[in-house]
Every structure is written in structure tokens, then in C-alpha cells.
């Protein structure tokens, strides 16, 4: 199955910043700007949750716990979605997953392999 390609995870101290990036590979032939892109995260022992999403029309949504600290953006020409994470907290520690869902065909739904974000002193 085709996967999105994520990068940018790592270890950061509380209050620090990280930027995650996700690229849609060429194997996915549908036009990138037809997709709503999202970032999810899953912490140990917890369910996967939606952190932020951005529609093809660039409307963004954030879960309450990250609003004002995280910013999602997309570059349609580079088939890329990014998540800028500022003022990170230990509770942001999780595996972060990129997701793409075609607005016109929800069966075209793709995930990345996940990237670990650890916030610790």
C-alpha cells in the first residue's frame, strides 16, 4: 500500500519547537489539491486523535489542546503538508501520523508510517 512520507520528528525540551513535514509520493496520481490533509497522533495507551487538518480550500481545524501553538499549512505545488509545533509540552509526546483523504472519493485515504515526537527535559 502506498504511504505518505513523513519527516521532522525528534526529541525536544518543553517549550521548544519542531516542524513535521509530509510529502505525497508520485505513486498517488490524484491531484494533491483534491485532498484534505491531516495530522493525527497516538500516545502510548491512548487512541489516535486528530490534531489538525487543512482542506483543499485551506480551511484549517485544530483540536483544542494545540490551538494557538500548532500551525498546519500546505504547499500544493510541492504536494506537501507541514505542522509547525511551538511551545511543546510533555503531553504532546506521541507518534504523529500524516493522513490524506480525497474530497471526492473517501476510499482514497492514505497514511504515513508515523514519526515520533518526544517532549522531555
Amino acid at each position: 500500500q502506498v504511504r505518505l512520507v513523513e519527516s521532522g520528528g525528534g526529541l525536544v525540551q518543553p517549550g521548544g519547537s519542531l516542524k513535521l513535514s509530509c510529502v505525497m509520493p508520485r505513486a498517488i496520481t490524484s491531484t494533491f489539491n483534491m485532498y484534505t490533509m491531516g495530522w493525527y497522533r497516538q500516545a502510548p495507551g491512548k487512541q489516535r486523535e486528530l490534531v489538525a487538518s487543512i482542506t483543499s480550500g485551506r480551511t484549517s481545524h485544530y483540536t483544542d489542546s494545540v490551538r494557538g501553538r500548532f500551525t498546519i499549512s500546505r504547499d500544493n505545488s510541492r504536494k506537501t503538508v507541514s505542522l509547525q509545533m511551538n511551545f511543546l509540552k510533555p503531553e504532546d509526546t506521541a507518534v504523529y501520523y500524516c493522513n490524506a483523504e480525497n474530497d471526492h472519493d473517501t476510499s482514497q485515504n492514505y497514511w504515513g508510517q508515523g514519526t515520533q515526537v518526544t517532549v522531555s527535559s
Side-chain angles (χ1 to χ4, degrees), residues 36-112:
T36 290
M37 303 299 297
W39 285 97
Y40 290 72
R41 67 186 179 189
Q42 187 166 19
K46 295 188 177 182
Q47 289 190 332
R48 189 174 298 189
E49 65 168 346
L50 175 64
V51 175
S53 63
I54 184 166
T55 68
S56 55
R58 301 183 183 271
T59 298
S60 58
H61 163 84
Y62 300 92
T63 193
D64 288 345
S65 62
V66 308
R67 189 173 292 111
R69 299 187 297 122
F70 291 11
T71 302
I72 190 170
S73 60
R74 65 189 294 159
D75 184 337
N76 290 342
S77 65
R78 298 184 177 185
K79 302 177 69 174
T80 299
V81 62
S82 300
L83 185 68
Q84 177 67 46
M85 305 185 293
N86 298 326
F87 305 107
L88 283 160
K89 304 175 181 180
E91 50 264 43
D92 295 317
T93 296
V95 178
Y96 283 70
Y97 297 91
C98 181
N99 175 262
E101 184 172 277
N102 191 310
D103 292 344
H104 304 283
D105 179 1
T106 57
S107 69
Q108 295 186 39
N109 188 299
Y110 303 95
W111 291 91

